Amino acid sequence: MSSVDLSRFLLQETTLGAITSWLPWESELSDLAVGDPAFAAASAVVLDGDLDAGDLDVNLDNLYPRDHQHPLPFLLLVRGSVRARAVVNSDFDGGTHLVVLGDLDADYLITFDQETFVGGALRLRRAWWGIGEAGNLMVRGPISAPALIADGYRVDDERIRARHGVTNTAFLFRDGTDYLPRAHACCVIADKYVCDDDSFDDEQIPNGVVDWVEPFDVLDAVTGGQDPFAEPICDPTEDLFVPEPDLFGCSEAELRDRFSAEVSAESVVAVMAHPLVMGRCETYDHDLIDEDRRYSVRRASGETPARLTIVRVISDPHLMYRFHHFEARRSPCGTTSVELLTQKSAGARCEPEPVPEHRVDHYIDALSCFRRLREFLAESV
């Protein structure tokens, strides 16, 4: 698709420092313009009115021909609203930031590492995708978009999850270390754009997506007039894993007995000694991936007991993951049993804690996951 020629609009070329009074106070660019002389001298382009591109794209990488005499501006400030087929920016190094004081209305909004500020409503017919840890999306007004994808990008995720002035079907929020089940990725991106199995290194099993998609392929599709997003876009937070049906009718005591019998110290040791686990989980940071679950192992050391961990992606928007830690502990009388622990999220501030026996739902999920792990290992032989 063609990008709109901004020369048809009346533009004012200035500097960031000269337009500080026009910049929204929430914008990080406002702080830079006031507090850093180098940024205050950065070039800015102002459009005093609406930017209506019709069916064309607004490509922030192609505002001007690339040459050293006329580099891209640091900021495009639109003192009205923007309407376009797509608004895109793919420059990780020195791209143009966008501040729109009015509404932004488009099919797609894709930005790499730049700030995007919308003072009015953000209305997208397909998707917003923000990529890169330096990027930031801020929207004062309501947000409407089938898919909102924060790929390392900063965004008010609490507002989106609470649906506070936000209408959307799918929301993916991840950083560079997050594991993303392939089925989740395909909820928002057409399958042909999801990473192929051979993109994984030798230490991973190709049934999950870590570097889940090549962003430039998606960007090229959008700017080429194609739609790379799923049809229809659906909610990727639906559970992929269904607990074993035979466990739902168990009483608390029956479930505890089954858990003790099936998740015995001997069975946990056997899992940890499996060749695939030994080869793939050399340290606690190495994982086996199985659809919406990943498995890791901490070997016993001194007084630290061995631990088998199963992390499962779940639909709870506040937790995102459910942790099952199986620890083989020796009692004072010499017997060994497995204790089930969990934690609210990863990190030292959320240390694992024992799961109370009355948390039947957690024991059902943990036992179902353990059964699936044993099946997974048996299938790999």
Side-chain angles (χ1 to χ4, degrees), residues 12-13 46 79 81 102 114 126 153 180 210 246-248 271 341 369:
Q12 173 188 349
E13 296 190 10
V46 179
R79 299 188 69 196
S81 296
Q114 281 79 37
R126 292 297 282 155
Y153 212 85
L180 186 68
V210 179
D246 66 296
L247 300 177
F248 286 115
V271 165
L341 300 93
C369 284

Side-chain angles (χ1 to χ4, degrees), residues 167-218:
T167 304
N168 69 295
T169 300
F171 177 48
L172 288 182
F173 182 79
R174 64 185 295 273
D175 62 29
T177 63
D178 278 349
Y179 159 71
L180 186 68
R182 187 182 187 90
H184 281 194
C186 291
C187 287
V188 294
I189 298 291
D191 187 68
K192 64 180 286 188
Y193 294 97
V194 179
C195 286
D196 294 330
D197 291 347
D198 59 9
S199 68
F200 292 85
D201 60 38
D202 293 338
E203 295 185 354
Q204 292 177 310
I205 292 178
N207 51 6
V209 180
V210 179
D211 293 328
W212 65 296
V213 68
E214 173 49 61
F216 287 102
D217 290 346
V218 174

Side-chain angles (χ1 to χ4, degrees), residues 29-216:
L29 301 177
S30 179
D31 293 335
L32 291 174
V34 174
D36 191 319
F39 280 104
S43 63
V45 174
V46 179
L47 173 59
D48 196 4
D50 294 338
L51 198 171
D52 190 344
D55 295 332
L56 301 178
D57 296 345
V58 174
N59 191 332
L60 298 174
D61 297 335
N62 296 318
L63 295 178
Y64 302 120
R66 288 298 186 100
D67 65 72
H68 295 293
Q69 301 300 319
H70 202 176
L72 286 173
F74 182 75
L75 168 68
L76 171 61
L77 170 64
V78 180
R79 299 188 69 196
S81 296
V82 171
R83 186 173 75 87
R85 173 187 169 270
V87 178
V88 297
N89 189 341
S90 64
D91 196 331
F92 276 107
D93 184 19
T96 301
H97 301 270
L98 176 65
V99 172
V100 179
L101 299 186
D103 300 336
L104 195 158
D105 195 318
D107 290 348
Y108 313 93
L109 173 61
I110 302 178
T111 53
F112 285 48
D113 255 352
Q114 281 79 37
E115 176 177 308
T116 304
F117 181 93
V118 180
L122 174 62
R123 292 185 292 267
L124 302 173
R125 285 170 288 281
R126 292 297 282 155
W128 165 72
W129 192 353
I131 305 161
E133 295 179 354
N136 191 12
L137 173 69
M138 289 173 282
V139 182
R140 279 181 180 168
I143 299 173
S144 175
L148 298 168
I149 306 170
D151 210 343
Y153 212 85
R154 289 173 293 154
V155 66
D156 189 352
D157 56 298
E158 293 297 329
R159 174 192 175 187
I160 295 173
R161 288 180 176 134
R163 297 295 200 276
H164 183 63
V166 178
T167 304
N168 69 295
T169 300
F171 177 48
L172 288 182
F173 182 79
R174 64 185 295 273
D175 62 29
T177 63
D178 278 349
Y179 159 71
L180 186 68
R182 187 182 187 90
H184 281 194
C186 291
C187 287
V188 294
I189 298 291
D191 187 68
K192 64 180 286 188
Y193 294 97
V194 179
C195 286
D196 294 330
D197 291 347
D198 59 9
S199 68
F200 292 85
D201 60 38
D202 293 338
E203 295 185 354
Q204 292 177 310
I205 292 178
N207 51 6
V209 180
V210 179
D211 293 328
W212 65 296
V213 68
E214 173 49 61
F216 287 102

Side-chain angles (χ1 to χ4, degrees), residues 268-291:
V268 171
V269 169
V271 165
M272 297 176 72
H274 190 281
L276 185 60
V277 175
M278 294 288 290
R280 302 277 185 169
C281 301
E282 297 177 5
T283 73
Y284 203 27
D285 294 325
H286 289 77
D287 298 322
L288 274 173
I289 296 177
D290 175 26
E291 294 184 353

